[in-house]
Amino acid sequence: MKHQHILVIRFSAMGDVAMTVPVVWAVAKQYPDVRITVLSRGFARPFFENLAPNVNFMEADLKGEYHGMKGLNRLYRRLAAKQFTHVADLHSVLRSNYLRLRFNLSHFKVEHIDKHRKMRHALVNKNMKKKVKQQLPTSFENYTEVFAKLGFPITENNFTSIFPPFGGDLTQLPEIFGEKKEGEKWIGIAPYAAHQGKIYPKEQMHEVVRQLIEKYPDARIFLFGRGKEEDETFPVWIKEMPQCNHVSQHIAAMQHELILMSHLDVMVSMDSANMHMASLVNTPVVSIWGATHPMAGFMGWNQSKENAVQLDLDCRPCSIYGQKPCIHGDFRCMTGIKPEMVVEKIENILK
């Protein structure tokens, strides 16, 4: 019998790829004799490299080697040569659809994700009479369904972390991070996201940090994020509050960020990749939601909805991914969240 080998396709953004990890781990654990190869962008390698003995990672450079139709055909030929027996398309976009078509024509066993587009449209409908606020299947459930259709149902998923119970190896990090002292609180703050509808106002997040330091003067605050906004904001906060640390100034590799996250007592994040990264290392997250909503199915793995900070507004959610302009023009879903609401959630976890 031909050895079973599953190709898992998920390109997309970091957070979406991170959400495949618990499901891939569960399949790998339940079916140890089945090989699994995850095809994704290069940034995702740390998620899967040491996930399980039967899980491999394959990088797809879609902007270089595999760009355009010729590139996708080249990628398909390379994939077909690996003799996969099953193909799980966890993305279902133009590129993966084309690859899926090629595999179907060659009589591979192929299944793809159901994104429940009608339910999503109803959830974010601007017409309040047509808006249907209901919990959609989570991404984890959607991914699990794909494997079930392929013949690999998951009966139990008790994934906790990509690291051992004691976390990642802190000795791999620069000396500036040092060891965590007994009783010392390590708090992560990731204040930015890809779209404005998912970003808590800078001034209000500054007040959150100030209040945390006032309540926990010996705590260490780790500021996560890379980009122009972070480079402009974080140095100002650090100058005012020396307890803050600009993580990306000292750490370049995502693997090292994951190690640091695994030792945090709590992570404060938007509906963004940092929420999902912290979830993969078993760190509780206080997540702040504006234009988007946990109902859309993108809450982090094993994260409690009790730790989500959000306002109950008729217009929410107005967007699945947070990229749409505010219908009121003021993003009141975010500006209306008081810093004390965020701090209270953090305190509940630290206690």
Side-chain angles (χ1 to χ4, degrees), residues 1 13 24 41 51 70 92 115 170 214 268 270 295 318:
M1 179 179 285
V24 171
R41 298 178 189 272
L51 188 63
K70 288 184 178 180
S92 195
K115 295 184 177 180
L170 278 174
E214 186 178 278
V268 182
M270 309 301 103
M295 281 185 182
C318 65

Side-chain angles (χ1 to χ4, degrees), residues 170 173-190 208-210 212-224 237-238 241-247 250-251 260-261 263-268 283 346 350:
L170 278 174
L173 305 187
E175 291 183 6
I176 189 172
F177 294 103
E179 292 185 4
K180 187 176 183 180
K181 299 174 184 177
E182 187 174 351
E184 186 177 53
K185 303 298 184 186
W186 282 19
I187 303 171
I189 307 281
V208 169
V209 178
R210 191 198 65 76
L212 285 174
I213 290 175
E214 186 178 278
K215 293 175 182 291
Y216 304 98
D218 296 327
R220 296 187 67 184
I221 310 291
F222 297 96
L223 305 174
F224 288 85
W237 290 5
I238 292 169
M241 300 171 285
Q243 293 93 333
C244 294
N245 303 264
H246 188 172
V247 174
H250 307 285
I251 290 178
L260 178 58
M261 286 184 186
H263 292 274
L264 299 177
D265 295 286
V266 61
M267 167 66 91
V268 182
T283 294
I346 298 169
L350 294 180

